Amino acid sequence: MLTGKTALVTGSTSGIGLGIAKALAEQGANIVLNGFGDVEGPKAVIAALGVKVAYHGADMSKPGEIEQMMKFAAAEFGRVDILVNNAGIQHVARIENFPVEKWDAVMAINLSSAFHATRLALPAMLAADGGKGWGRIINLASVHGLVGSAEKSAYVAAKHGLVGLTKVTALENATTGVTCNAICPGWVLTPLVQKQVDARAGSAGISNQAAQQQLLGEKEPSMQFTTPEDLGALAVFFCSPAGNNIRGVAWNMDGGWAAQ
Ligand code: NAD
């Protein structure tokens, strides 16, 4: 379905980003990976699916490096057809104790990076398909783009901002073939959440399993983690012809969290 298209997924060396990159590659899209840590492992996972894969190590908190990454993707594959703004970090503290540099980092990586990648991807998307435009911009927000939680001021503010950016991107391009939507997961057991599980297990003196159950029990009625595979399938749906007129939604996949 996506053969010949190129998807750039930020923060795709791990977790949800890698899951979405795999799902798009399974549909035939070539992939540009980005993120820190092990690169060869994720590259091999994508290459095994029979598509082309490239990697750029831009730090998503740095606009100049994002510009270099977008130029690199265009040079490698012609243009970016599918942009998944996924890179994100978390920091947990009450506002009066929140380190200022952590606030700035969460805002830069979770929100401003999506603005920069989007502004740089849009011109080629709008010129695609003989000028009618074709593109898919998918922003990994969170259920925290829809509701708040204590001690997550920067994350909740950034994710609400990302939902707002999603709506404006969708509206500005509503008469074109370029759509923009947000995905809002509840708990997904990735390294980002494992750190919160570990912190809880440590401070409460309970097992990893018990800490997971506590985390779910507080917020997620289904008592189940959403998986990167589930989220990949939703991203594929947004890229399918059925997604042509889905514009500006913030689609939660959260086990009922935001329904309460
Ligand atoms: P993760 O920690 O497993 O992966 C984050 C990815 O971002 C990694 O590839 C990491 O290298 C990359 N990254 C971090 N800082 C970066 C930077 N400055 N520049 C480039 N890459 C950087 O986290 P995840 O859980 O897969 O989260 C992915 C996205 O999903 C985030 O935006 C997160 O907020 C969102 N999300 C996660 C959950 C969850 O429960 N895990 C829930 C809702 C939303």
Side-chain angles (χ1 to χ4, degrees):
M1 185 180 84
L2 299 175
T3 303
K5 303 262 194 261
T6 296
L8 186 155
V9 186
T10 69
S12 47
T13 48
S14 150
I16 295 169
L18 183 56
I20 290 178
K22 275 167 66 180
L24 296 173
E26 280 163 3
Q27 297 299 318
N30 297 322
I31 303 292
V32 182
L33 294 171
N34 157 262
F36 301 149
D38 175 35
V39 173
E40 292 313 314
K43 270 177 91 171
V45 165
I46 300 296
L49 296 168
V51 298
K52 291 187 197 147
V53 57
Y55 166 81
H56 194 282
D59 179 338
M60 296 304 292
S61 69
K62 302 204 164 88
E65 293 190 21
I66 299 172
E67 286 189 22
Q68 285 169 15
M69 179 181 71
M70 298 307 288
K71 281 190 189 145
F72 166 82
E76 286 286 307
F77 294 121
R79 75 167 163 257
V80 171
D81 303 287
I82 299 163
L83 170 66
V84 184
N85 289 309
N86 167 80
I89 58 166
Q90 174 64 284
H91 188 80
V92 181
R94 284 180 57 87
I95 292 173
E96 65 271 30
N97 302 326
F98 211 93
V100 171
E101 66 279 7
K102 287 287 183 197
W103 171 276
D104 289 343
V106 171
M107 285 296 162
I109 297 166
N110 295 23
L111 177 57
S112 299
S113 73
F115 160 70
H116 292 297
T118 298
R119 72 180 170 81
L120 295 163
L122 271 171
M125 288 182 177
L126 290 169
D129 200 12
K132 283 192 287 180
W134 195 93
R136 295 286 183 267
I137 301 172
I138 300 173
N139 292 327
L140 253 293
S142 164
V143 70
H144 283 120
L146 305 171
V147 299
S149 287
E151 303 195 355
K152 294 187 175 173
S153 55
Y155 190 84
V156 169
K159 295 299 188 182
H160 274 68
L162 191 54
V163 169
L165 177 66
T166 302
K167 291 176 183 173
V168 175
T169 308
L171 290 175
E172 288 184 2
N173 298 290
T175 60
T176 78
V178 179
T179 72
C180 179
N181 294 291
I183 297 179
C184 299
W187 293 122
V188 187
L189 195 56
T190 64
L192 183 141
V193 164
Q194 188 59 50
K195 279 186 209 153
Q196 295 171 61
V197 172
D198 292 343
R200 184 177 286 253
S203 64
I206 55 177
S207 69
N208 188 61
Q209 185 67 21
Q212 286 183 18
Q213 290 303 304
Q214 269 192 12
L215 217 61
L216 288 168
E218 281 169 12
K219 301 282 189 182
E220 194 143 333
S222 67
M223 292 300 287
Q224 279 176 46
F225 289 101
T226 299
T227 66
E229 290 73 23
D230 297 337
L231 295 163
L234 181 54
V236 167
F237 175 63
F238 283 149
C239 295
S240 74
N244 279 344
N245 208 24
I246 303 176
R247 296 176 188 266
V249 305
W251 190 313
N252 38 323
M253 197 184 256
D254 63 357
W257 182 328
Q260 298 169 97

